[in-house]
Amino acid sequence: MTIIDNAVYVNGLRTEDPESLDETYFVLRQRQGMAWIGLYRPDAEELQSVGEEFDLNPLAVEDALAGHQRAKLEHYGECLFLVLRPARYRDDVEKVDFGEIHVFAGDEYVVTVRHAESPDLAKVRRRMEAMPEFLALGPEAVLYGILDQVVDEYEPVAAGLENDIDEIEDDLFGADPDVSRRIYELSRQVITFQRATSPLAGILQALMAGTPERPAGTELQDHLRDVLDHVLRLNERVAAFRALLQNALAVNAALVAQRQNNEMQRMTESSLEQNEQVKRISSWAAILFAPTLVASIYGMNFSAMPELTWTYGYPYAIGLMVAMGLALYVTFKHNKWI
């Protein structure tokens, strides 16, 4: 159903539960209270009906229908248009799901338009109805309740992101090839989360300041200030998350470069070792080649070869082989090939 909850409040008390928007408009004119209408993904006709009844700005109505807006607070005459980006952490996939809620608030109405399951506005309504004196302050009290709920739901998200960052810090020195991708994906989520939380400080300060026509009372300011304190601490945590991830990415890049350098060094050392082995093998091959050459020449069966009839030919040939081998050995040894 598009209309999730629909009620008219007088002096902070729920007095009527209209079954349709037209009935809500009729009762509101009669009782001069405050209408709180909760819509979930309404169609253009339903939102247009609300816009015509409460004279909502067409641009704000268009933004609420289209969605995909940044967190902001805008004034359109006597109407406040608030956009929030609630978030929910999914531990099973280590991902943050972002929703969107649009709130129109005037002198006698609050209209909420949700595009996701979060935040739990039924919880906000029950909490506000349990404080009729505070709810009697008007639409600004409802805005406080919605903001407080959204900020409270940010806390599990921040805790989940913090846990993921701790795991990444543990994996940095484990040579995990997927850690770079995980750091990058988590950085994107933190940046998106920061975009959702950072405007809240300005939004709350603007609500605390109020307007010349409708200044915020002391009780409302106290409640908004409490939410602002939570937001400021949350923004500091998120900024620290982003800095930690940037440092983790830099450390990971340095570790990858170091591992590559170590691998190149090992490859170079292995290549040098192979070169030394080749030198040794080549040296001994050359040493053995010299006597083999002499022996092969004098081993040929020709009758017209020199020194065949010489008495000292055999010792001479043996001595020549040994001398050539020794000369080559000394040469290679001097050059440190063997």
Side-chain angles (χ1 to χ4, degrees):
M1 295 178 59
T2 299
I3 302 177
I4 303 301
D5 202 346
N6 181 19
V8 175
Y9 297 84
V10 178
N11 295 325
L13 298 175
R14 186 167 185 153
T15 62
E16 191 72 28
D17 295 316
E19 296 182 357
S20 67
L21 292 177
D22 290 336
E23 185 179 349
T24 302
Y25 308 149
F26 177 75
V27 173
L28 182 61
R29 295 190 192 99
Q30 280 189 329
R31 303 192 177 182
Q32 298 297 313
M34 179 188 71
W36 185 352
I37 302 171
L39 303 177
Y40 179 70
R41 294 180 179 175
D43 56 29
E45 182 179 353
E46 291 170 327
L47 197 55
Q48 188 65 33
S49 170
V50 175
E52 292 176 355
E53 175 65 25
F54 298 123
D55 194 24
L56 303 181
N57 186 279
L59 295 177
V61 173
E62 182 180 350
D63 288 345
L65 279 173
H68 304 290
Q69 302 294 313
R70 61 179 177 83
K72 60 183 178 180
L73 176 66
E74 295 179 342
H75 292 262
Y76 293 98
E78 296 180 355
C79 175
L80 291 177
F81 179 55
L82 175 65
V83 180
L84 298 174
R85 298 296 307 277
R88 180 170 61 95
Y89 181 77
R90 296 174 56 192
D91 189 54
D92 55 338
V93 293
E94 295 184 348
K95 184 180 178 182
V96 181
D97 288 338
F98 292 93
E100 193 167 339
I101 179 172
H102 305 259
V103 184
F104 298 90
D107 292 335
E108 57 183 16
Y109 64 86
V110 176
V111 180
T112 60
V113 180
R114 282 192 297 130
H115 291 275
E117 297 299 326
S118 179
D120 186 0
L121 294 185
K123 182 177 180 180
V124 176
R125 192 181 289 262
R126 290 192 299 270
R127 178 187 174 193
M128 292 294 101
E129 290 176 352
M131 301 185 299
E133 293 182 358
F134 182 71
L135 186 57
L137 296 177
E140 288 80 4
V142 178
L143 292 180
Y144 154 76
I146 295 173
L147 281 162
D148 189 49
Q149 180 65 27
V150 170
V151 173
D152 285 346
E153 292 184 7
Y154 282 153
E155 291 298 328
V157 177
L161 292 174
E162 187 173 17
N163 183 65
D164 291 342
I165 293 173
D166 291 340
E167 292 178 357
I168 285 177
E169 291 178 339
D170 293 337
D171 294 341
L172 272 178
F173 299 95
D176 186 356
D178 295 329
V179 69
S180 297
R181 177 180 294 275
R182 189 179 180 190
I183 293 174
Y184 175 73
E185 292 176 350
L186 189 56
S187 296
R188 291 181 58 188
Q189 294 187 60
V190 169
I191 291 172
T192 307
F193 188 45
Q194 189 175 40
R195 290 173 180 170
T197 61
S198 58
L200 294 181
I203 291 173
L204 287 162
Q205 289 169 351
L207 290 175
M208 290 171 59
T211 62
E213 297 80 12
R214 298 178 61 181
T218 302
E219 184 178 0
L220 182 61
Q221 286 183 340
D222 291 341
H223 282 78
L224 291 173
R225 187 177 295 108
D226 180 67
V227 181
L228 179 60
D229 290 340
H230 286 83
V231 168
L232 293 177
R233 289 197 298 269
L234 180 64
N235 286 337
E236 290 176 357
R237 290 181 67 186
V238 176
F241 292 165
R242 192 167 180 180
L244 285 172
L245 288 170
Q246 289 175 346
N247 292 336
L249 194 60
V251 170
N252 182 66
L255 291 174
V256 170
Q258 182 180 2
R259 286 193 290 267
Q260 290 177 344
N261 290 336
N262 293 338
E263 185 65 25
M264 289 296 297
Q265 184 177 357
R266 285 193 295 268
M267 292 176 63
T268 301
E269 292 174 355
S270 177
S271 178
L272 292 174
E273 181 66 22
Q274 290 177 354
N275 289 339
E276 292 298 323
Q277 296 294 338
V278 170
K279 288 180 181 180
R280 292 188 182 94
I281 295 173
S282 300
S283 299
W284 286 110
I287 292 171
L288 294 175
F289 174 74
T292 302
L293 176 63
V294 176
S296 61
I297 293 175
Y298 279 93
M300 290 187 289
N301 297 321
F302 292 99
S303 59
M305 291 182 65
E307 289 91 18
L308 286 178
T309 59
W310 187 31
T311 303
Y312 300 104
Y314 180 76
Y316 175 77
I318 296 298
L320 181 60
M321 295 178 192
V322 173
M324 292 178 65
L326 287 173
L328 290 172
Y329 178 82
V330 172
T331 301
F332 293 140
K333 191 70 173 178
H334 177 72
N335 293 328
K336 298 181 180 180
W337 280 36
I338 56 177

